[in-house]
Amino acid sequence: STTLPGNIKATWVKPISPYISQHVQVIGAEGKVFVSTASGLYAFDAATGNEVWVYPTELPLGHSPTYNNGFLYVGGMDRKMHKINASTGTEVWTFDAEGGFYTNPVVIDNKVFSGNRDGAFYAVNASTGELAWKYQTGSQILQSAAFKDGVLYFAANDGYSYALNAENGSLVWRSENKLPSMGQYSWWPVVYQNYVIFTRTAFEIGLSGAESVWMFCPPGSITCSVPSNRIPGTFASPA
């Protein structure tokens, strides 16, 4: 209902037939924009909207691609992680997992990191597509990871949050308690100072399925709680 200031108008509009998931973000690089869809990855000229190439997949892609040094990395429900040449749309390699990828990959130090619906967090060699290491959790990983100072942070649907050593996949810590929720989905954790902030999805009793989002900050076993009378936008002290 709010109008943006200035002379705002569409430069181009490009209809896309395949379904685009609500959590997919458009990624821009090399003068192109890249869109994950239910039937593959699309590349459009950022200036004109003309289709540059399409990388087809048999099943939907699970999240947005990650661009790094001329290549795109994206996972899908076909149980594959794909490395794609960003200029030509050609396949470089695919890595096979045991479940579908629903998360946005993190690419650091020649490794591609991504959680999977099989409950495993994978690290794949970005050059060769070979498995570097794998860490198994107790349930699906549907939340994309955050990275800071050699450590990866994410939550799984077993209710726990995890911190893994990015070099070898060893466990740095697992939250002492479960984060109460109906699941940890596509929102990324946020690293703020010495805290990792996670969001959860909850369907409260009596709200007819209304969705509410809560925040948790568990370095070790610490959980941030916000009193009901807290002014939105201010920080609460750790409980």
Side-chain angles (χ1 to χ4, degrees):
S1 61
T2 301
T3 301
L4 293 174
N7 184 22
I8 305 297
K9 61 180 181 180
T11 301
W12 54 262
V13 177
K14 189 69 177 183
I16 301 175
S17 297
Y19 175 75
I20 302 172
S21 173
Q22 66 271 21
H23 62 254
V24 163
Q25 295 173 301
V26 176
I27 303 300
E30 299 186 0
K32 294 184 282 293
V33 292
F34 306 100
V35 185
S36 293
T37 77
S39 64
L41 187 65
Y42 282 69
F44 301 101
D45 185 287
T48 65
N50 292 333
E51 185 178 294
V52 179
W53 51 255
V54 178
Y55 178 86
T57 56
E58 294 182 1
L59 293 174
L61 294 175
H63 211 295
S64 306
T66 297
Y67 174 87
N68 183 263
N69 292 330
F71 299 98
L72 296 155
Y73 302 86
V74 64
M77 297 298 102
D78 55 3
R79 303 184 179 185
K80 297 180 185 294
M81 178 67 67
H82 303 262
K83 180 178 181 179
I84 304 162
N85 185 300
S87 297
T88 64
T90 55
E91 177 187 300
V92 179
W93 52 250
T94 59
F95 168 79
D96 294 315
E98 296 180 19
F101 287 98
Y102 194 73
T103 56
N104 178 228
V106 174
V107 183
I108 299 288
D109 294 335
N110 201 43
K111 290 189 181 70
V112 185
F113 304 100
S114 193
N116 192 278
R117 285 159 58 101
D118 63 11
F121 194 91
Y122 289 89
V124 179
N125 186 297
S127 298
T128 64
E130 296 177 345
L131 179 67
W133 54 258
K134 172 183 174 182
Y135 182 89
Q136 188 68 44
T137 71
S139 187
Q140 298 181 86
I141 303 173
L142 305 178
Q143 183 184 68
S144 301
F147 174 87
K148 182 182 179 182
D149 297 336
V151 179
L152 295 149
Y153 303 93
F154 64 93
N157 275 359
D158 58 6
Y160 293 101
S161 57
Y162 293 84
L164 301 182
N165 183 301
E167 178 63 29
N168 55 32
S170 60
L171 181 67
V172 177
W173 54 255
R174 189 186 77 166
S175 57
E176 182 177 342
N177 301 309
K178 290 186 176 184
L179 308 183
S181 74
M182 294 295 289
Q184 307 288 338
Y185 293 95
S186 61
W187 305 288
W188 294 265
V190 174
V191 180
Y192 175 77
Q193 296 181 355
N194 193 39
Y195 295 94
V196 184
I197 303 172
F198 295 86
T199 59
R200 64 125 176 187
T201 300
F203 294 92
E204 304 292 347
I205 298 175
L207 294 183
S208 301
E211 183 178 82
S212 63
V213 178
W214 294 71
M215 296 173 61
F216 300 92
C217 315
S221 61
I222 297 176
T223 299
C224 291
S225 60
V226 182
S228 59
N229 63 348
R230 192 77 175 181
I231 298 174
T234 61
F235 285 96
S237 300

